[in-house]
Amino acid sequence: MSAQIPAVRSTEQLREKWMKPEVITGSEILLRSLVLEGVECVFGYPGGAVLYIYDALYGFKDFHHLLTRHEQGAIHAADGYARASGKVGVCIATSGPGATNTVTGIATAFMDSVPLVVITGNVVSSLIGTDAFQEADITGITMPITKHSYLVRSVEELPRVIHEAFHIANTGRKGPVLIDIPKDVSADKTLFEPVQSINLRGYNPKVVPNQHQLEKVAAAIKEAERPVILAGGGVVYSGGHEELLEFVTRTEIPITTTLLGLGAFPSGNPLWMGMPGMHGTYTANQAIQNSDLLINIGARFDDRVTGRLDGFATHAKVVHIDIDPAEIGKNVKTDIPVVGDVKTVLELLNPLVSRSDKADAWRSQISQWMADKPYKYKDSDTVLKPQWVIELLNDTTKGEAIVTTDVGQHQMWAAQYYKFNQPRSWITSGGLGTMGFGFPSAIGAQMAHPDRLVISINGDGGMQMCAQELAICAINNIPVKVVVINNQVLGMVRQWQELIYENRYSHIDLAGSPDFVKLAEAYGVKGLRASNKEEAKQAWKEAMETPGPVLVEFVVSKEENVYPMVTQGSTIDQMLMGDCE
Amino acid sequence: MTTTMTSHTIAVLVNDQPGVLQRVSGLFGRRGFNIESITVGQSEEEGLSRMVIVTQGDDKTLEQIEKQLYKLIDVIKVVNLSSKPMVARELALIKVKSEPAERPEIMGVVETFRAAVVDIGTNSMIVQVVGDTEKIDAMIELLHPYGIRELSRTGVTAMIRGNA
């Protein structure tokens, strides 16, 4: 049952091997090009339109191919791989239903700026447009959720298209790129010569910022009495976390990191205020609302962060640093726009900035808020509290694990109570909020980091959206520790129905869920269950000591809510504090 | 920055790729930008097409439209034509009912507008008119009483005046 998890390896020698010009099929061109792009691992699912590609994959050993049990599993795994590694994630699906099954995953990656190359097969060119068997216009369907897409019309253009796709996916503001390959193109032959150059006239991401704008930022910092940094996923994606730490160390400006920015800044640092927004800390939200200078570094002012826009940071001069110029001014009026790569911007900005005494009173105010209003919950000795479970995971792993989550209450508790200290160790669907993402993305993350501990935290709802991928863990011995926080309901929906829809609990009862322990065992994965603290400690200890994949179900309190909470239509300082009061 | 809704004419130079019109028009649709008219055809350079889009919006919307257009890989250049003096033209073909007795009267309108009659049937004629949007609106209004059977307008194409 257990092939060892394949080791990720250097592709230098493989590059040598595949560089020689040769007449080969489109399918072979695809595989060689993927190797030349440095691909180590591909997630996919075969079908009629990609049979030539899978034929070429027969016995192909120069990258790993993992056969998932659903295309949604494949694309979320590719996404998790990309987020954990910083490389491009690759997914292969067949035409029609195979391709459309990837749509949710493409949209997820698009919203969170994750570099993916999605390869779909299509019916033979002559049948395109005839409503042929398993035909879908996947380039048309995915146009709004891809950074770019290609429908390849001849085998000759395939090498260029693949090279461009990787370049586009992983430069500028990153994102998914789709390559749709008709079946005849994957069968046709041509002379393959690896493409070395890129010629995309309309695509020149601005990496280096305008120096004059940086000087304006430095001057604003010098004058500010209540400055705040809001850092987002852009810090992680640009690899600018060390520069961010230096920026904060130099300026001593209090910092909050968005959901996707968790891990971009060490949580133990006294200037870190936690996460802002809907379920953010009291301190982060008060700090933003009372700031006179708000420095946004690689975040996009999502509505879950800003709350009601007309009441957001109304006293602040706004600096917005982003590689995507379209984000600047899109939601929040910006006073000092800085277009550029976060890492490059901070490298150039750091020498210009220093600590200002003018903000001393502000710093003490923030420390006071942090001391007065931390995240809090009412613990219990009779029922298991989900927050306590997250603390257990945090304590036993010392914040060193890679954590992926699904979407809902458990996601917010994980964001609140797990303490992240390094980038790319927190993988979650932020923008799209995709249930079913948590577990398969952990498989991808584990493929990227075979030697690290990967924990996937899921609710009982989301776990059932991609549970079939337990097979992948078992068959490849991928040692993900799968956590199911089971409260028997759709918890976040329940919370909204309680707080906003006057306790009208409409269709949230997940009665009929499988016995998760037996479900795991049915797939050949060890399953454990805990319903109180003692059992929880024991089960988690056993999970950690067991090599290979383990599913641990924590049966928790059903009524628990995520606090604090900013309801929709409120400004972010109008928070329901709940147990945090 | 004002928040007045005004008409803007934007020229977008794009790679002549299949689906590029869908990418551009789809972007307008899903981001809630308005399209009053859109025309597309060859540009001065082989492999590139020029789209001319007339849109309504305030300055903030216009800024977003330009920025979002630049995010499309196939978009090479975006120019806000209406920010400078420009020449804007559209063409209309108007099939108007015309019994032989009415023809001289209609011809009078056509000549005044420097339009042309490009087809005459037994009881209808096709009038071709080129000009800015207002001129074509006026022409249509004048021909309306005779009975317009069919009307086809191209949408605006435009250029900045002079050497710019």
Side-chain angles (χ1 to χ4, degrees), chain B residues 28-92:
Chain B
F28 273 73
R30 72 174 172 277
R31 293 208 178 260
F33 304 143
N34 160 281
I35 296 182
E36 273 180 23
S37 96
I38 183 165
T39 64
V40 57
Q42 280 182 352
S43 73
E44 66 282 359
E45 194 178 327
E46 200 177 330
L48 299 186
S49 297
R50 180 169 277 107
M51 291 181 184
V52 175
I53 302 168
V54 182
T55 182
Q56 277 253 331
D58 57 16
D59 290 351
K60 184 174 183 284
T61 308
L62 181 70
E63 185 188 325
Q64 265 299 308
I65 289 173
E66 286 188 35
K67 285 175 166 178
Q68 294 292 346
L69 280 171
Y70 268 121
K71 286 178 73 169
L72 298 178
I73 308 290
D74 281 329
V75 168
I76 310 288
K77 199 173 177 194
V78 181
V79 181
N80 177 9
L81 298 174
S82 41
S83 66
K84 299 197 174 95
M86 63 163 182
V87 179
R89 294 288 180 267
E90 70 176 290
L91 180 145

Side-chain angles (χ1 to χ4, degrees), chain B residues 141-159:
Chain B
E141 204 182 318
L142 281 171
L143 291 178
H144 210 263
Y146 301 99
I148 292 174
R149 290 184 153 179
E150 212 176 314
L151 171 67
S152 184
R153 293 173 74 154
T154 58
V156 173
T157 191
M159 249 180 215

Side-chain angles (χ1 to χ4, degrees), chain A residues 308-495:
Chain A
R308 206 178 82 211
L309 267 177
D310 60 6
F312 176 75
T314 45
H315 313 292
K317 181 182 256 192
V318 175
V319 174
H320 194 166
I321 301 168
D322 207 302
I323 194 148
D324 179 357
E327 283 307 328
I328 296 174
K330 188 184 80 177
N331 298 335
V332 171
K333 192 174 166 295
T334 302
D335 300 284
I336 310 177
V338 182
V339 178
D341 168 69
V342 163
K343 184 182 166 82
T344 313
V345 169
L346 290 177
E347 268 171 1
L348 295 169
L349 186 57
N350 277 335
L352 309 179
V353 296
S354 58
R355 186 185 189 285
S356 161
D357 294 340
K358 286 187 179 172
D360 279 348
W362 177 241
R363 291 184 186 99
S364 354
Q365 167 71 78
I366 287 192
S367 310
Q368 193 61 49
W369 278 331
M370 284 202 274
D372 290 349
K373 303 274 175 87
Y375 286 135
K376 261 194 291 194
Y377 65 96
K378 286 197 183 75
D379 201 5
S380 163
D381 286 326
T382 49
V383 285
L384 209 46
K385 288 293 183 100
Q387 301 93 329
W388 183 89
V389 174
I390 304 291
E391 286 180 331
L392 171 71
L393 307 184
N394 186 59
D395 293 346
T396 48
T397 59
K398 306 281 176 262
E400 291 298 311
I402 295 176
V403 174
T404 81
T405 77
D406 212 73
V407 169
Q409 287 184 316
H410 69 276
Q411 177 191 32
M412 291 299 116
W413 285 316
Q416 292 177 334
Y417 289 92
Y418 198 92
K419 302 298 170 214
F420 297 94
N421 292 314
Q422 45 184 321
R424 301 198 179 282
S425 53
W426 165 247
I427 292 168
T428 198
S429 166
L432 199 68
T434 306
M435 282 178 74
F437 173 84
F439 171 45
S441 64
I443 295 172
Q446 187 79 80
M447 288 304 291
H449 295 285
D451 300 326
R452 284 187 65 183
L453 172 64
V454 177
I455 304 173
S456 172
I457 305 176
N458 303 271
D460 43 330
M463 187 64 206
Q464 293 182 62
M465 288 199 178
C466 276
Q468 72 282 351
E469 305 307 340
L470 283 164
I472 311 310
C473 291
I475 207 82
N476 297 293
N477 198 23
I478 295 174
V480 171
K481 307 304 174 202
V482 186
V483 169
V484 179
I485 308 275
N486 187 352
N487 60 356
Q488 302 109 57
V489 290
L490 287 171
M492 193 58 97
V493 180
R494 187 198 169 283
Q495 174 166 344

